[in-house]
Amino acid sequence: MRFKATLLQRKSSILLECIQGFVKMMKGLPNKQNSRFYIKFEKNSLILLLTSYCNWDEQIADVSCRLKYEDVFFSEPVLESKNENIIGISLNPEALILPLRSSILAKETTLRLSKRDSQNVLSFSMIIETKKMSTFQLTHDCKVDVLKSKITNELIPLGEDGKRFGSEIPNTHFSLPPPKSLLRLFEKMKLVDSKYVEIEIVQDYNNEAQNNHDEGSKSQTCHFICTSDKSLNSTVSIKTFFNNCIVFHTENYDESRMIISQEQNRRTDEKELFRVFATFDINHLMSVLQFSTTISDSYCVATITQNKFLSMLIFFPNIESQISIFLASVNTKTTE
């Protein structure tokens, strides 16, 4: 087994922001002992993957990011394994933050899988240049567990797994309200002891009717409605409307990622007008929003799937990749 690659310095910040987002998400989810972070090295890309399960083995969250090697590495990495040159590792994502921060300042950073005292490590070898133009080498090792081939092959992001989930993702997504505004709202809901939030997305029928008579306004919009569940200790419920959220049409692309269609302004007929809703744990929602705030200049769209998962896509500003998040809803009748 062998992996070696040179990190593209100007894109180190992208990888750093991704890892910081995964760390925030991992800390925000309950049952941290049931959350696992993986990196899967494939032929043309790497996958960052976080899975979280509750105590009874129901999946709470699935967060993934597929990055092309050309977006993060200087050249194609050296990748060799008995499993058709596919390697999977598991580690604590927080251990990657320090070496990635250092790599932003380094003249050159090389990543390789190796062993130190019989322990598998992902090693960062950096050449640092001082103000006096001299250089020195800095090495940072992150402990990893190399996965068996069977486990590695089963590491498929939920959104890419057509057998388990892919066919249930709607092709209509909506733009999210500003994440910081939503975070402030959820903080207020927590102050009145709310544990759950119902999210409802409703097509803006009035806007649709106006657009039919106004050629200058083409974007479809929807209402994003948040309602806090009343707790046992409070009779207060907060309900907030966010209007004019833009509707997008998405499509699968090369079976590995989802992109915003160029036909985002095409009309929908009445049969396609929608209303979807589901209830989520407020702490889970806040961890998702905190993740989105770590990616600079990103754009987020989301929807609710047929089986009541929140499906969210975070698009990078400069590369054709995105982070895919699936968050399970809750049954408030059984969780009280």
Side-chain angles (χ1 to χ4, degrees), residues 187-198:
E187 287 288 357
K188 291 179 181 178
M189 290 179 173
K190 289 184 70 174
L191 290 176
V192 295
D193 295 325
S194 295
K195 295 182 179 179
Y196 310 107
V197 179
E198 182 186 74

Side-chain angles (χ1 to χ4, degrees), residues 291-323:
F291 191 121
S292 67
T293 59
T294 63
I295 310 299
S296 303
D297 301 321
S298 62
Y299 189 79
C300 304
V301 298
T303 192
I304 295 175
T305 67
Q306 295 175 11
N307 54 353
K308 302 298 183 181
F309 270 72
L310 177 69
S311 169
M312 179 172 166
L313 298 172
I314 304 174
F315 290 87
F316 293 96
N318 299 320
I319 60 174
E320 292 184 0
S321 297
Q322 69 276 321
I323 298 166

Side-chain angles (χ1 to χ4, degrees), residues 21 23-30 176 178-191 194-197 199 226 280-294 310 312 314 325 327-328:
V23 171
K24 280 189 176 182
M25 183 83 182
M26 206 167 182
K27 289 182 176 180
L29 292 170
L176 281 180
K180 291 183 179 179
S181 298
L182 283 176
L183 281 170
R184 286 194 294 267
L185 173 63
F186 293 158
E187 287 288 357
K188 291 179 181 178
M189 290 179 173
K190 289 184 70 174
L191 290 176
S194 295
K195 295 182 179 179
Y196 310 107
V197 179
I199 292 180
C226 297
F280 301 91
D281 186 296
I282 193 168
N283 292 314
H284 297 175
L285 286 174
M286 292 181 71
S287 67
V288 169
L289 293 171
Q290 288 167 351
F291 191 121
S292 67
T293 59
T294 63
L310 177 69
M312 179 172 166
I314 304 174
I325 299 176
L327 185 67

Side-chain angles (χ1 to χ4, degrees), residues 227-324:
T227 308
S228 63
D229 269 11
K230 296 178 182 177
S231 69
L232 296 176
N233 302 321
S234 174
T235 58
V236 177
S237 178
I238 299 175
K239 188 171 186 176
T240 304
F241 290 77
F242 293 90
N243 300 321
N244 299 322
C245 293
I246 300 174
V247 177
F248 293 95
H249 297 278
T250 54
E251 60 185 16
N252 289 322
Y253 183 71
D254 69 20
E255 297 183 351
S256 64
R257 57 195 175 97
M258 194 172 283
I259 62 172
I260 296 179
S261 171
Q262 297 299 316
E263 299 178 334
Q264 63 187 43
N265 290 328
R266 67 179 173 87
R267 315 308 312 145
T268 56
D269 56 36
E270 292 184 1
K271 294 181 180 179
E272 290 180 310
L273 299 180
F274 61 88
R275 174 183 176 271
V276 292
F277 61 93
T279 301
F280 301 91
D281 186 296
I282 193 168
N283 292 314
H284 297 175
L285 286 174
M286 292 181 71
S287 67
V288 169
L289 293 171
Q290 288 167 351
F291 191 121
S292 67
T293 59
T294 63
I295 310 299
S296 303
D297 301 321
S298 62
Y299 189 79
C300 304
V301 298
T303 192
I304 295 175
T305 67
Q306 295 175 11
N307 54 353
K308 302 298 183 181
F309 270 72
L310 177 69
S311 169
M312 179 172 166
L313 298 172
I314 304 174
F315 290 87
F316 293 96
N318 299 320
I319 60 174
E320 292 184 0
S321 297
Q322 69 276 321
I323 298 166
S324 175

Side-chain angles (χ1 to χ4, degrees), residues 56 58 196-197 229 278-281 284 307-308 328-336:
W56 48 92
E58 287 189 6
Y196 310 107
V197 179
D229 269 11
T279 301
F280 301 91
D281 186 296
H284 297 175
N307 54 353
K308 302 298 183 181
S329 59
V330 296
N331 185 346
T332 55
K333 293 181 180 180
T334 60
T335 51
E336 290 293 347

Side-chain angles (χ1 to χ4, degrees), residues 33 36 72 88 104 120 136 145 151 153 183-184 190 196 199 205 230 280 320:
Q33 67 273 16
R36 295 288 183 271
V72 290
I104 295 175
N120 290 307
F136 66 93
D145 293 321
I151 298 175
N153 294 335
L183 281 170
R184 286 194 294 267
K190 289 184 70 174
Y196 310 107
I199 292 180
Y205 301 100
K230 296 178 182 177
F280 301 91
E320 292 184 0

Side-chain angles (χ1 to χ4, degrees), residues 7-60:
L7 199 60
L8 199 59
Q9 185 185 23
R10 65 178 183 275
K11 295 295 180 68
S12 296
S13 58
I14 293 176
L15 199 53
L16 174 60
E17 288 178 348
C18 279
I19 297 300
Q20 288 175 328
F22 277 98
V23 171
K24 280 189 176 182
M25 183 83 182
M26 206 167 182
K27 289 182 176 180
L29 292 170
N31 302 319
K32 296 179 180 61
Q33 67 273 16
N34 293 332
S35 298
R36 295 288 183 271
F37 176 76
Y38 306 96
I39 301 178
K40 184 178 181 181
F41 300 101
E42 297 184 338
K43 182 179 179 181
N44 299 313
S45 60
L46 65 86
I47 301 174
L48 307 175
L49 179 64
L50 171 66
T51 60
S52 180
Y53 290 82
C54 58
N55 291 330
W56 48 92
D57 291 334
E58 287 189 6
Q59 190 161 10
I60 297 173

